[in-house]
Amino acid sequence: MDSSSDFIMTSSPKARILLQQCLSARLQVEPPTDQKEGVFVEIGRGLVLYVCFLKGASSDVVNKMVKEALNTKLSTSADGKLCSILELPGDVLIIPQATLGGCLKGKSMQYHRNIAKEDGLELYKQFTTFCEETVQSNEKSKESGRVVKWGTYGNVQVFRCDTNGPYSHLLEY
Amino acid sequence: MDSSSDFIMTSSPKARILLQQCLSARLQVEPPTDQKEGVFVEIGRGLVLYVCFLKGASSDVVNKMVKEALNTKLSTSADGKLCSILELPGDVLIIPQATLGGCLKGKSMQYHRNIAKEDGLELYKQFTTFCEETVQSNEKSKESGRVVKWGTYGNVQVFRCDTNGPYSHLLEY
């Protein structure tokens, strides 16, 4: 192996998605108050997407992220072949996860690479909208009633999941 | 900001840890057979560590990974302050996760950067041993009966978790 392959020139990432498979997952979208209980969204078998936008992220990157997350062959079909979540078809749960942008400094994580909160919210909205549109315009997903759900940007992500193997993957942009 | 900060010279990572918080988590360590049910390990409140070794990883990196994972202030204490899992103190669940080393190529993930399986197993054993030793030699963890559990290298990671916020963090080495 060429020793130069140990070093690569890379631009600092503008976004990250962590992808995990689930059999079911449940996420709080409204925290409980004195007056009422918390509100949750749920999905069945599918893909959990933890999404983080860093400085320099734009709408272009959002489209690419959604396309790759939904079309990459990360799920296993009934006949044991790898397929995308659109081909499976499966549900999608999107979780905003700013902590994924953290850098270790001493014993603490720093988040100075993360995008400004308002800009991140705007991109997150685009991400969830485009993701839902893509799944709902996919015949196989639509026919079998597959859903896209997402968490509230800026909330604490109270979350439960059950999986046959999370098969965690990281995509960087 | 200096525009040169958009570009960094970085070596290809030799290892990755994905860290998530949990209230409880359960991982299968022996799959079920015709004769008997699957065997699981469980932890209470603590840290889930998904570990992946890439080409070039060595024992040195293992020690650094364990130290940083256990000493970084990622948990929230009863009085609302950030603290490490040793300070909390909390449990630790280690999950081998080779998929974290994947690179997207077209619509598929490729794993050519991952370490050879036998070498990865050796490093994984060192990781789990050093992690358990470190937790068990921490007075606060030992007094409160905190545990370190881990998954079987090479198994499908059948996994369930419940969290008040996964606070996913990625560390690269």
Side-chain angles (χ1 to χ4, degrees):
Chain A
M1 196 172 74
D2 186 336
S3 69
S4 69
S5 64
D6 280 339
F7 287 88
I8 46 170
M9 178 72 96
T10 177
S11 60
S12 195
K14 295 185 169 55
R16 279 180 169 161
I17 315 181
L18 170 67
L19 306 97
Q20 294 186 324
Q21 310 296 315
C22 73
L23 294 174
S24 68
R26 187 179 97 129
L27 180 72
Q28 184 176 277
V29 290
E30 277 183 41
T33 64
D34 291 347
Q35 279 73 46
K36 65 186 191 73
E37 292 185 359
V39 179
F40 291 82
V41 291
E42 290 191 60
I43 66 164
R45 188 174 170 207
L47 196 56
V48 179
L49 304 178
Y50 296 86
V51 180
C52 175
F53 295 106
L54 301 164
K55 280 178 182 144
S58 64
S59 299
D60 295 350
V61 95
V62 169
N63 287 6
K64 194 174 177 203
M65 288 166 82
V66 170
K67 280 181 190 160
E68 289 189 353
L70 299 181
N71 288 294
T72 301
K73 295 176 183 298
L74 297 176
S75 302
T76 310
S77 66
D79 59 1
K81 283 188 186 146
L82 281 175
C83 66
S84 74
I85 198 70
L86 293 174
E87 291 164 336
L88 187 60
D91 292 338
V92 178
L93 177 62
I94 305 161
I95 305 183
Q97 194 81 166
T99 50
L100 265 183
C103 288
L104 185 62
K105 172 100 183 214
K107 294 190 174 182
S108 301
M109 296 302 284
Q110 292 190 341
Y111 304 97
H112 53 76
R113 295 191 304 181
N114 282 45
I115 202 165
K117 197 170 170 181
E118 319 77 65
D119 298 337
L121 173 58
E122 189 53 40
L123 294 176
Y124 181 70
K125 281 184 190 165
Q126 290 176 24
F127 188 99
T128 56
T129 304
F130 187 43
C131 201
E132 187 171 48
E133 282 172 7
T134 309
V135 169
Q136 294 312 330
S137 67
N138 178 54
E139 210 54 51
K140 224 172 159 183
S141 303
K142 202 177 165 189
E143 274 174 11
S144 63
R146 295 304 95 209
V147 295
V148 177
K149 304 278 182 181
W150 56 87
T152 312
Y153 194 84
N155 259 13
V156 169
Q157 307 300 327
V158 175
F159 175 61
R160 176 184 298 172
C161 83
D162 201 340
T163 162
N164 252 349
Y167 300 109
S168 312
H169 286 94
L170 181 74
L171 296 179
E172 287 189 329
Y173 297 87
Chain B
M1 196 171 73
D2 186 336
S3 68
S4 69
S5 64
D6 279 339
F7 287 88
I8 46 170
M9 177 72 97
T10 178
S11 60
S12 194
K14 295 184 171 54
R16 277 180 170 161
I17 314 181
L18 171 67
L19 307 97
Q20 294 187 324
Q21 309 297 314
C22 73
L23 294 174
S24 67
R26 187 179 97 128
L27 180 71
Q28 185 177 276
V29 290
E30 278 182 41
T33 65
D34 291 348
Q35 279 73 44
K36 63 186 192 73
E37 291 186 359
V39 179
F40 292 82
V41 290
E42 290 192 59
I43 65 164
R45 187 173 171 210
L47 195 57
V48 179
L49 304 179
Y50 297 86
V51 180
C52 175
F53 295 106
L54 301 165
K55 279 177 183 145
S58 64
S59 299
D60 294 351
V61 96
V62 170
N63 287 4
K64 194 175 177 202
M65 288 165 83
V66 170
K67 280 181 190 161
E68 288 188 355
L70 298 180
N71 287 295
T72 301
K73 296 176 183 296
L74 297 175
S75 302
T76 310
S77 66
D79 59 0
K81 283 187 185 146
L82 282 175
C83 65
S84 74
I85 199 69
L86 293 175
E87 291 165 334
L88 187 61
D91 293 337
V92 177
L93 177 62
I94 305 162
I95 305 182
Q97 193 80 167
T99 51
L100 265 183
C103 288
L104 186 61
K105 172 102 183 211
K107 293 189 174 182
S108 301
M109 296 303 283
Q110 293 190 340
Y111 304 97
H112 53 76
R113 294 190 305 179
N114 282 47
I115 202 164
K117 198 170 169 182
E118 319 78 65
D119 298 337
L121 173 57
E122 189 51 41
L123 295 177
Y124 181 69
K125 281 184 191 167
Q126 289 176 24
F127 188 99
T128 55
T129 303
F130 186 43
C131 201
E132 187 171 47
E133 282 172 7
T134 309
V135 169
Q136 293 312 330
S137 66
N138 179 55
E139 211 54 51
K140 224 172 158 182
S141 301
K142 202 176 164 189
E143 274 174 13
S144 64
R146 294 305 95 210
V147 295
V148 177
K149 304 279 184 181
W150 55 87
T152 311
Y153 193 83
N155 260 13
V156 169
Q157 308 300 327
V158 175
F159 176 62
R160 176 184 297 170
C161 83
D162 201 340
T163 162
N164 252 349
Y167 299 110
S168 312
H169 287 93
L170 181 74
L171 296 180
E172 288 189 328
Y173 296 88

